[in-house]
Amino acid sequence: ESLTSSQYTDQGDFVVETETNKVNEVVERLSAWDSKPDIVIGAVAMVSMDGIVYGKPKTEDKAVEMLKE
């Protein structure tokens, strides 16, 4: 994704936009199948602290770095 939390004044808007984009991508992929899904449910786990949004770290090293901040 090309979204960054700094693009948003409200961190909640960033989280909603991020998850909406992910769900829409899944819907597009699954719509190519003969049997389309009736519903797609998306869930997100993000943490915000002191104005910084922390998403899922991509590596173990990044996770350790985030925890040390």
Side-chain angles (χ1 to χ4, degrees), residues 56-66:
K56 181 178 177 181
K58 295 184 190 262
T59 65
E60 186 176 335
D61 289 339
K62 183 62 177 170
V64 171
E65 179 185 324
M66 287 169 59

Side-chain angles (χ1 to χ4, degrees), residues 1 3 8 10-24 44 46:
E1 287 187 9
L3 298 177
Y8 297 84
D10 183 286
Q11 294 165 355
D13 291 342
F14 168 68
V15 172
V16 169
E17 184 76 15
T18 299
E19 194 56 32
T20 300
N21 288 345
K22 289 179 183 179
V23 168
N24 287 336
V44 64
M46 289 195 179

Side-chain angles (χ1 to χ4, degrees), residues 3-69:
L3 298 177
T4 61
S5 60
S6 62
Q7 294 173 265
Y8 297 84
T9 55
D10 183 286
Q11 294 165 355
D13 291 342
F14 168 68
V15 172
V16 169
E17 184 76 15
T18 299
E19 194 56 32
T20 300
N21 288 345
K22 289 179 183 179
V23 168
N24 287 336
E25 189 275 328
V26 170
V27 168
E28 285 180 31
R29 259 191 301 133
L30 295 178
S31 292
W33 296 3
D34 290 335
S35 177
K36 297 176 185 170
D38 292 324
I39 187 169
V40 174
I41 299 172
V44 64
M46 289 195 179
V47 174
S48 172
M49 187 170 77
D50 297 330
I52 300 171
V53 176
Y54 297 91
K56 181 178 177 181
K58 295 184 190 262
T59 65
E60 186 176 335
D61 289 339
K62 183 62 177 170
V64 171
E65 179 185 324
M66 287 169 59
L67 292 170
K68 288 182 177 180
E69 289 180 3

